[in-house]
Structure formats: C-alpha cells, structure tokens
Amino acid sequence: MTIAAQPFAFELDLAHAALVIIDMQRDFVEPGGFGETLGNDVSLLQAIVPACQAVLHAWRRAGGLVVHTREAHRPDLSDCPPAKRLRGQPSLRIGDEGPMGRILIAGEPGNQIIDALAPRPGEIVLDKPGKGAFYATPLHNLLQQAGVVQLVFMGVTTEVCVQTSMREANDRGYDALLLEDCTESYFPQFKRATLEMVRAQGAIVGWTASSAALLTALPPR
Ligand code: C5J
C-alpha cells in the first residue's frame, strides 16, 4: 500500500505494521481535566478525535495491530523520578489530587483513554512512566514478537509524547509515520515545528501524512 506522505511516499505493509495511539487520556483531552486546569485549550485536542476514530475503525476493519498508551505512574510514585514530578506546574503535580482523580496515576478516572477511542479486547494497552512509549515498557518486545517493523502514530501531544515515541522508534529501527490531523498540541506552533522536524533531511525521524491518505490506501474488509 502506497501512502502519499512527506517527504516521500510511505510503503505500508499492514501485516508488519501497528497503529500506536499515544496518550488520548481524559486528563489531557477532556474539558475539566488536568490539561484544562493548567490553562490549556483542550478544544484543540478534541478536534482530532473524529479523525482518530475514523483511522482506528478502518485499521481494525483491515485487521491491523493496535497499541494504546497512557502516561501513567504507579500510585506510590515509585516509577516517577523526583526530577519529573518537581518540574511540573507547582499548582498541580503528578500524584496530586486533580479534578478527575490523582494526576497521571494509573487507574484514576482522568487516566482512562477517552470513550471514543476506548481499547477493545486483544489490543495492547501500555502504561508508560516516561514521555516515550518505549521507555520502561515492554513495547519493543511485543512488537518484535508480532513481527512489526512499521508504526503509524496518532495522539497527543505532538511535540512531547508523540515526538519522543517516534524518536525512540526510529532509534530501534522502525519506520514511523505520523498522521498530521490525528495529532495535536496545546501549542500550534510546536505541532507545526514537530511535523517539519520529523520529515526533515529525508525523513530523519519519519514520515507525515494526512489521515485521508491512509484511509484511501487501507483495504476495506
Ligand atoms: C504527553 C505531556 N502525553 N505533554 N504528555 O505528551 O506531558
């Protein structure tokens, strides 16, 4: 399957690819959560949900492997280095009680993936204590066992957890494609810069494409 992408076409091999959905969790995306409490405009992030849903449904129909991640720490914070916790906004730090439960703590209401993109049985769901999806998770092993060498990324935020995960993927030998209208940042200029950085210098980190380009190429089932 040839996907119209930048800086050049991406040859998708669905049998050896996974869709990786980064941190579409309530606290980042929904009004009344952690992200909004910090003063961010979450409507920017909500706007990508329909496009993410369309890709997820089409990917499932095509029989592709799906991975969901959440930025999540253990309740005792044993996997949260003080340097990460103390560098957050002083008003609301990881582990503090927030509007949707404890901030970035596994199992809390705000830490759940939004209903529109809820994982289905059989899909991989990973709690990640870092920004990158590979750090301190079994993701690389799981992908290797499944024979996956290509990753299609969606999720938030573009310049933090999505970009970090793509760079980790690149260093581990995966080809990575970021869907431009299925990722977002609270800071539009950071999203724009990330898309450019990813595909610069002949896809130094990976490719970018519209969801429409992927949907056109995916086979109906
Ligand atoms: C993610 C963050 N998921 N921005 N986290 O990007 O802190």
Side-chain angles (χ1 to χ4, degrees):
M1 270 170 266
T2 300
I3 317 283
Q6 293 188 65
F8 51 89
F10 186 88
E11 298 299 331
L12 178 67
D13 175 6
L14 193 59
H16 297 102
L19 177 66
V20 183
I21 310 173
I22 299 288
D23 300 359
M24 290 297 285
Q25 55 207 65
R26 297 184 60 207
D27 252 335
F28 291 144
V29 179
E30 289 188 1
F34 174 46
E36 189 175 74
T37 305
L38 293 179
N40 298 303
D41 177 5
V42 295
S43 70
L44 290 169
L45 274 55
Q46 287 190 297
I48 68 167
V49 172
C52 291
Q53 245 185 331
V55 169
L56 177 58
H57 290 165
W59 194 270
R60 282 171 172 158
R61 273 198 307 274
L65 181 70
V66 181
V67 178
H68 306 259
T69 71
R70 296 179 285 230
E71 187 173 351
H73 294 275
R74 296 190 196 119
D76 65 2
L77 295 177
S78 57
D79 59 357
C80 183
K84 181 178 183 188
R85 182 173 140 76
L86 296 175
R87 231 183 309 109
Q89 304 273 0
S91 57
L92 207 50
R93 290 192 161 127
I94 296 170
D96 289 351
E97 200 60 49
M100 292 185 186
R102 293 181 67 202
I103 302 302
L104 300 191
I105 298 298
E108 296 289 332
N111 204 238
Q112 306 309 311
I113 292 168
I114 59 170
D115 285 345
L117 302 174
R120 285 204 183 145
E123 295 176 349
I124 296 171
V125 183
L126 294 175
D127 284 342
K128 60 181 189 55
K131 301 304 184 194
F134 289 84
Y135 170 70
T137 75
L139 180 56
H140 188 43
N141 282 344
L142 292 169
L143 294 175
Q144 283 188 312
Q145 281 164 23
V148 168
V149 294
Q150 297 182 328
L151 302 176
V152 176
F153 280 92
M154 314 197 292
V156 298
T157 59
T158 316
E159 78 280 13
V160 185
C161 291
V162 174
Q163 181 173 202
T164 304
S165 300
M166 284 190 77
R167 289 178 182 274
E168 287 183 328
N170 188 44
D171 285 344
R172 285 164 177 77
Y174 298 91
D175 280 335
L177 171 69
L178 176 57
L179 297 180
E180 296 150 3
D181 51 330
C182 295
T183 184
E184 197 46 87
S185 169
Y186 299 124
F187 308 96
Q189 71 275 26
F190 291 171
K191 173 178 174 175
R192 276 197 300 276
T194 301
L195 295 180
E196 284 179 27
M197 280 189 272
V198 161
R199 62 195 178 213
Q201 300 177 70
I204 195 159
V205 175
W207 287 253
T208 77
S210 66
S211 62
L214 175 67
L215 292 173
T216 303
L218 279 179
R221 241 209 189 183

